[in-house]
Amino acid sequence: MYVDIACRVLLGTVLLAAAVGKVSGRAAYREFTRSVHDMGYQPAGPLAAAVIAAEFTAVVLLAVFPMAGFLLSTALLLAFTVAITANLRRGGATCRCFGRTAAPLGRHHVWRNALLIGCAILGALAPAGPVRPGEGALAAVGALVAGVLVVMLDELRYLFGAADRT
């Protein structure tokens, strides 16, 4: 059960940060929509809105109907991974994954998504069971910290000098 909790919190943190970052202001939403267009996906406006709605929906489902949340999270992350891979083959674009910053798409984004897909699958397969409050809270806090680190991946790569290597 603690694996389920950790996976729900980790995915929820990442998807919530992504959705909120994209709608945090007109400029953020406009830049995300432009990045969808620049990646070659049309119509960019409706597609950008659908992505954001799906991210918010996944967060709610992870909290209320975990299996549905894990399934939607997996589908979203697979779609994102396919889009990133296709753009890497075409020469790349910028990532507005979390709305606020533009980082060049790289293999690390594919690896990040693969890790998150694994987390969604692991969470969906985790057995249910009784939860002790202290241990449940520890699993949630650990996953929250991991989620923040995932959200800050591009900044951490820059900080540690890996930003110019993909």
Side-chain angles (χ1 to χ4, degrees):
M1 188 62 172
Y2 302 109
V3 170
D4 169 70
I5 292 169
C7 291
R8 288 165 64 183
V9 171
L10 173 62
L11 291 166
T13 299
V14 171
L15 291 170
L16 183 62
V20 168
K22 292 169 187 154
V23 297
S24 62
R26 287 183 188 188
Y29 182 74
R30 184 175 48 250
E31 290 302 318
F32 173 63
T33 303
R34 182 174 301 141
S35 73
V36 170
H37 178 269
D38 292 346
M39 290 174 76
Y41 298 105
Q42 298 296 332
L47 186 55
V51 165
I52 294 165
E55 288 171 336
F56 276 124
T57 300
V59 172
V60 171
L61 289 174
L62 285 165
V64 182
F65 300 110
M67 185 58 72
F70 286 131
L71 291 173
L72 180 55
S73 297
T74 301
L76 273 171
L77 291 161
L78 282 170
F80 296 160
T81 303
V82 167
I84 291 168
T85 303
N87 274 277
L88 287 174
R89 289 188 176 147
R90 279 187 244 147
T94 58
C95 174
R96 290 280 181 173
C97 305
F98 298 98
R100 63 191 191 288
T101 59
L105 287 171
R107 290 182 306 222
H108 64 284
H109 292 108
V110 174
W111 287 110
R112 174 200 61 202
N113 287 358
L115 172 92
L116 293 171
I117 290 166
C119 180
I121 293 168
L122 183 64
L125 298 175
V131 176
R132 293 186 192 148
E135 288 143 346
L138 184 61
V141 169
L144 180 63
V145 169
V148 169
L149 292 173
V150 168
V151 169
M152 308 263 327
L153 175 66
D154 289 321
E155 289 85 353
L156 291 170
R157 284 178 49 80
Y158 177 78
L159 179 66
F160 292 107
D164 47 343
R165 298 185 305 255
T166 47

